[in-house]
Amino acid sequence: MNIAENINKIKSEIPASVTLVAVSKTKPNADIMEAYNSGFSVFGENRVQELIDKRPQLPSDISWHMIGHLQTNKVKYIAGFVEMIHAVDSLKLVNTIDKEASKYNRVINILLQFHIAREETKYGFNIEEVNEILSDELLCNLKHVRICGVMGMATFTDDTSLIRSEFRYLKGCFDSLKNGIFNDKSYFTEVSMGMSGDYLIAIEEGSTIIRVGSSIFGERNFCEKK
Ligand SMILES: *Cc1c(COP(=O)(O)O)cnc(C)c1O
């Protein structure tokens, strides 16, 4: 199977309303071009350095999603072009994105990352923290950031019932925000969850954006930096 076929197979399995982000981290630009030449243009990277190294060699109409943990001091390198930042996990990061996007007169779509997995190491908010930091005043003052929804990563496990329960929990967090502070915000629509091993479960549980790498581009090297 080649890359274009892998993308078409996944697209045939998912509703047209679900956005597929092809996670190209660690993969060469030739692989990205193979997907691009088949008509696909939404890619995700998890490291700023890799993204800014690759991008100048690639078509400018690619829609780039930053999916990995993002340090505030690196926002400036991607603020001029990034379509969506998935893993926003602090108020400081929200404010930094707003400031850096303002320099380009852009609005950047962001998602709030929730900690939904059993693993201690994964970043993210819980719902109490989010309710604490968000206020109508904050949302009103963010001129260059649009908080479009939530994102999470399930536990790395074969236990599909655990994965499903974590996705259901994340959808519950989304619903409670949608019914709360975001109730009048029509742009608050996205639930980014589901990767190669679990995107079908994620969609059953309400995912609107799936982030798929290895099922499209093949396995990554073990020396991958996290
Ligand atoms: C690498 C990565 C993915 C894709 O993982 P696959 O299992 O290869 O599909 C999705 N989301 C994030 C945040 C990632 O870092």
Side-chain angles (χ1 to χ4, degrees), residues 19 21 41-43 51 55 61-66 78-86 106-111 146 148:
T19 301
V21 176
S41 61
V42 184
F43 296 93
L51 173 52
R55 182 173 168 268
D61 63 344
I62 285 181
S63 168
W64 288 108
H65 288 234
M66 179 65 203
I78 61 173
F81 66 88
V82 72
E83 174 69 26
M84 180 173 270
I85 298 176
H86 286 234
R106 298 185 71 228
V107 176
I108 297 180
N109 298 316
I110 71 166
L111 304 175
R146 190 159 41 215
C148 295

Side-chain angles (χ1 to χ4, degrees), residues 106-171:
R106 298 185 71 228
V107 176
I108 297 180
N109 298 316
I110 71 166
L111 304 175
L112 301 174
Q113 180 174 15
F114 279 75
H115 179 114
I116 62 171
R118 292 274 170 92
E119 288 107 344
E120 285 294 318
T121 53
K122 299 218 168 126
Y123 301 97
F125 289 114
N126 61 46
I127 190 74
E128 289 79 23
E129 290 165 340
V130 168
N131 280 320
E132 219 173 275
I133 64 161
L134 292 183
S135 62
D136 289 328
E137 192 192 356
L138 173 78
L139 294 186
C140 184
N141 286 335
L142 291 172
K143 303 286 188 227
H144 300 276
V145 160
R146 190 159 41 215
I147 303 176
C148 295
V150 302
M151 176 267 195
M153 285 172 86
T155 302
F156 186 70
T157 174
D158 293 333
D159 181 352
T160 53
S161 67
L162 177 61
I163 292 171
R164 185 180 294 280
S165 72
E166 291 171 352
F167 287 155
R168 192 166 293 178
Y169 171 77
L170 181 60
K171 177 62 162 57

Side-chain angles (χ1 to χ4, degrees), residues 156-201:
F156 186 70
T157 174
D158 293 333
D159 181 352
T160 53
S161 67
L162 177 61
I163 292 171
R164 185 180 294 280
S165 72
E166 291 171 352
F167 287 155
R168 192 166 293 178
Y169 171 77
L170 181 60
K171 177 62 162 57
C173 294
F174 170 82
D175 288 339
S176 98
L177 292 169
K178 182 83 193 163
N179 295 324
I181 191 155
F182 290 100
N183 74 80
D184 59 345
K185 304 287 189 282
S186 58
Y187 54 78
F188 192 81
T189 52
E190 306 296 345
V191 181
S192 169
M193 60 184 185
M195 320 196 329
S196 289
D198 53 26
Y199 64 87
L200 291 175
I201 300 174

